[in-house]
Amino acid sequence: MSDREEEVRLMKGNEAIAHAIIRYGADGYFGYPITPQSEVLETLEEQMPWDTTGMVVLQAESELAAINMVYGGASTGKAVCTSSSSPGISLKQEGISYIAAGELPALIINVMRGGPGLGTIQPSQGDYFQTVKGGGHGDYRLIVLAPATVQEMADFVGLGFDLAFKYRTPAMILADGVVGQMMEKVQLPVQRPRRTDAQIAEQCPWAITGRAESRGHRNVETTLEMEPNKMELNNHRFQETYRRIQENEVRYEEYYTEDADYLMVAFGSVARICLKGIELLREKGIKVGLIRPITLWPFPEKIIREVGQKTKGVLTVELNAGQMVEDVRLAVECKVPVAHFGRMGGIVPNPNEIVDAFYKEFPEAK
Amino acid sequence: MTNEIIIAGFGGQGVLSMGKILAYAGLMDDQEVTWMPAYGPEQRGGTANVTVIISDKAISSPVLDVYDVVVALNQQSIDKFESKVKPGGILMYDSYGTHRHPDRKDIRILPIDAMEATIETGNSKTYNMIVLGALLAARPMVPVESVLKGLKKTLPERHHHLIPLNEQALRKGMSLVKEA
């Protein structure tokens, strides 16, 4: 992870993302405005990084154009990214599938809002299935990072880019409107230089750089194979990458799990609201723990199994109708009851609602 | 010490900015802070509110349902948030244009004449600083110096000449709150 500056700033999660993109030494951002993440593009435009690092910031004519600019930029080994919110991310799915099939590194940021459809502009986590289980067509996976603080919004830009380049696969920051819009303290990463053409040629030997002669062979970027046997081999290679990611990149945070009689599982801003709810429950002597998956894929199933199976029950809290709960049930192998509490359409529950939902599911805990 | 505050009123009254200035003051004072706006249709007219938490400990939830202090700047906000003040907490409201006054007995109710004070200053833009002054007099969660430091840090240099005006407004607001 990049070093952080000494200075402590106060800013919105979306603004922190924009600053972190510039400071990573990214080569390009291509976006199209949509609430609740428009500050990403706005902040990039304000900062004018084209005058400092030489980074390209472009408001495309549509989400489709933006994601395909990312596809093109990534093919040349450049560090490129885009951001949007739920309906815009749906539009980008075809491009994301192509980027995954092309084994290209790219960073995509989704600051989720209520859906389905045009939905609302308020916070949601309704895109868990879309992000973690597919979204676009074909057997591919995204590395999915779920920030809960403005600091993580900044930190996960660098982490997301690093993982994307390490595994040559797209990574997504799956945030929600709460972390996008709230302000809190943040230490931004220190400014890194953009990579030189020579560094890109060395680090990304697969990149299309227009230098076939000096390389001795042509690099071709395609996601199409006419031979099914070849395409199956490609798929085996993708799956091998995903297996390595699952082995090495699981991230999560645990709170109060040592003595927990019950467990909550929640990600993003909701995990913080759960934590406050858990503190209220603990004041009453009810021992509840929390696991906050940081990577939604690869999913931290081992720790949820280990901790969850020792409890009397698990409650997932999500801003949706029950999506991650399916992965939590698989993780604990249905050995203990796993319940779900969710609000939808842009409504964010408060800590007391979570306490009430816990009592409703586990009345014997009282 | 943790202060959980919601400031609510009409869009355009400077509710979000006031919360921001308070959050910056917390930052200047080396405290933990969160600032969570209702960013929905409120921003596009109608009512607006912002939750600000200032604490010497790490802050978990930025979203709350009960508050130590509610600052209500219109009737709708009084009606909506009166029941959300923690027992022993403060409900501060601008009595200008208010027809139903809060009546809870287990909280400190502080009507302030911020609108009238603003009219006296002749500059409607000082309204939220007057309210912030009153808030800090009722609940001194950050020193006035930290507010001014925060303003200096966040305002572009070309607006620094407005800081004395803001300080005056802040102090005028503080004088609106009589000791309980």
Side-chain angles (χ1 to χ4, degrees):
Chain A
M1 198 168 289
S2 313
D3 291 333
R4 289 178 189 161
E5 269 182 4
E6 279 287 306
E7 189 180 350
V8 180
R9 298 163 194 261
L10 188 68
M11 59 173 68
K12 285 187 173 194
N14 289 336
E15 294 166 343
I17 280 193
H19 286 280
I21 290 170
I22 299 170
R23 282 151 183 265
Y24 182 75
D27 298 298
Y29 168 94
F30 308 93
Y32 189 83
I34 178 172
T35 307
Q37 64 78 58
S38 295
E39 293 88 354
V40 177
L41 178 55
E42 285 166 11
T43 307
L44 285 167
E45 297 275 4
E46 253 166 41
Q47 292 296 312
M48 301 194 285
W50 51 89
D51 279 345
T52 51
T53 70
M55 174 188 165
V56 171
V57 178
L58 196 141
Q59 178 172 334
E61 69 269 35
S62 71
E63 285 86 351
L64 267 70
I67 192 68
N68 283 295
M69 288 171 187
V70 169
Y71 183 22
S75 305
T76 67
K78 301 280 187 188
V80 288
C81 58
T82 184
S83 68
S84 190
S85 178
S86 309
I89 293 290
S90 291
L91 287 167
K92 291 181 203 250
Q93 291 302 330
E94 181 198 40
I96 294 172
S97 171
Y98 278 55
I99 293 166
E103 296 174 280
L104 296 172
L107 181 66
I108 302 137
I109 297 137
N110 180 2
V111 183
M112 290 179 280
R113 60 189 249 178
L118 211 45
T120 57
I121 60 175
Q122 284 87 354
S124 163
Q125 296 178 326
D127 306 347
Y128 178 91
F129 279 156
Q130 182 194 55
T131 313
V132 170
K133 309 288 179 189
H137 56 283
D139 279 305
Y140 74 92
R141 294 286 190 174
L142 295 174
I143 297 170
V144 185
L145 302 168
T149 62
V150 172
Q151 186 64 56
E152 284 188 342
M153 290 288 257
D155 292 346
F156 288 179
V157 168
L159 177 63
F161 267 128
D162 285 348
L163 292 173
F165 273 93
K166 181 175 176 188
Y167 294 100
R168 277 182 64 186
T169 198
M172 184 176 281
I173 295 178
L174 190 67
D176 55 68
V178 176
V179 258
Q181 289 297 325
M182 73 181 287
M183 291 205 307
E184 62 185 347
K185 282 160 110 172
V186 59
Q187 284 173 286
L188 294 175
V190 296
Q191 179 70 52
R192 300 203 314 193
R194 284 173 55 228
R195 290 172 307 158
T196 62
D197 286 350
Q199 285 169 323
I200 291 175
E202 192 198 325
Q203 290 163 18
C204 308
W206 45 266
I208 300 164
T209 53
R211 299 213 174 94
E213 274 174 29
S214 59
R215 199 186 298 120
H217 63 90
R218 289 176 68 197
N219 279 347
V220 178
E221 167 51 38
T222 180
T223 64
L224 175 72
E225 290 288 355
M226 295 310 288
E227 284 291 331
N229 289 338
K230 277 191 183 168
M231 195 61 208
E232 189 178 41
L233 281 178
N234 286 353
N235 268 282
H236 281 306
R237 197 173 60 248
F238 306 157
Q239 294 303 320
E240 172 55 24
T241 301
Y242 302 147
R243 199 187 50 72
R244 283 193 296 129
I245 296 170
Q246 280 178 305
E247 259 168 34
N248 300 317
E249 305 300 345
V250 171
R251 287 168 169 81
Y252 58 87
E253 236 174 30
E254 290 177 79
Y255 308 84
Y256 304 116
T257 46
E258 315 79 36
D259 64 345
D261 291 326
Y262 295 88
L263 179 68
M264 287 193 198
V265 183
F267 66 96
S269 61
V270 182
R272 298 175 61 160
I273 307 170
C274 283
L275 196 57
K276 179 114 185 172
I278 287 169
E279 281 157 8
L280 296 172
L281 285 163
R282 283 195 168 248
E283 281 170 19
K284 301 238 153 65
I286 302 165
K287 291 175 184 157
V288 184
L290 173 71
I291 292 177
R292 175 173 76 90
I294 291 173
T295 49
L296 298 180
W297 196 90
F299 193 66
E301 53 196 11
K302 185 161 167 274
I303 186 73
I304 292 173
R305 176 162 55 248
E306 283 169 8
V307 174
Q309 285 188 350
K310 282 185 219 148
T311 65
K312 295 172 190 162
V314 181
L315 179 70
T316 72
V317 185
E318 306 172 64
L319 303 182
N320 59 43
Q323 300 191 14
M324 181 181 67
V325 63
E326 294 187 359
D327 288 328
V328 174
R329 282 194 186 119
L330 284 173
V332 300
E333 295 160 332
C334 298
K335 294 253 168 74
V336 296
V338 177
H340 165 80
F341 172 65
R343 296 296 307 261
M344 291 169 280
I347 302 285
V348 180
N350 62 55
N352 282 314
E353 265 182 276
I354 293 174
V355 169
D356 291 345
F358 173 82
Y359 282 140
K360 188 168 162 257
E361 295 298 339
F362 302 109
E364 76 283 359
K366 243 182 187 168
Chain B
M1 181 75 187
T2 299
N3 282 289
E4 299 177 331
I5 302 143
I6 190 162
I7 308 161
F10 289 120
Q13 275 179 318
V15 165
L16 297 188
S17 311
M18 176 182 159
K20 215 176 249 189
I21 294 162
L22 182 59
Y24 268 107
L27 174 75
M28 293 299 122
D29 205 31
D30 267 336
Q31 306 215 47
E32 296 302 321
V33 292
T34 60
W35 174 92
M36 179 67 216
Y39 65 87
E42 293 89 347
Q43 208 177 323
R44 292 140 166 96
T47 59
N49 71 66
V50 62
T51 302
V52 177
I53 307 174
I54 299 182
S55 178
D56 51 12
K57 299 190 296 276
I59 298 166
S60 53
S61 176
V63 177
L64 300 168
D65 121 269
V66 285
Y67 308 88
D68 298 306
V69 184
V70 168
V71 179
L73 301 178
N74 60 18
Q75 185 67 56
Q76 291 95 317
S77 302
I78 297 171
D79 296 345
K80 187 169 174 190
F81 292 111
E82 181 178 359
S83 65
K84 304 287 185 186
V85 183
K86 291 182 201 171
I90 297 174
L91 171 57
M92 173 177 280
Y93 71 102
D94 191 339
S95 35
Y96 187 87
T98 305
H99 53 85
R100 193 198 68 81
H101 295 264
D103 55 8
R104 265 177 71 182
K105 299 285 175 263
D106 59 337
I107 57 173
R108 189 174 165 207
I109 293 174
L110 282 176
I112 52 166
D113 294 322
M115 187 64 87
E116 277 176 27
T118 309
I119 294 165
E120 280 169 29
T121 68
N123 185 341
S124 62
K125 286 181 184 164
T126 59
Y127 179 71
N128 61 354
M129 290 303 281
I130 287 176
V131 177
L132 180 59
L135 169 62
L136 291 180
R139 189 101 174 188
M141 59 198 105
V142 286
V144 174
E145 293 67 39
S146 297
V147 177
L148 299 173
K149 239 166 96 185
L151 275 178
K152 204 164 178 179
K153 202 170 157 59
T154 52
L155 283 176
E157 198 108 345
R158 65 180 190 280
H159 290 146
H160 278 193
H161 67 279
L162 295 172
I163 291 176
L165 181 71
N166 280 284
E167 183 177 358
Q168 278 168 28
L170 207 57
R171 303 222 181 258
K172 193 173 178 84
M174 295 181 93
S175 70
L176 295 180
V177 176
K178 327 255 171 326
E179 276 312 304

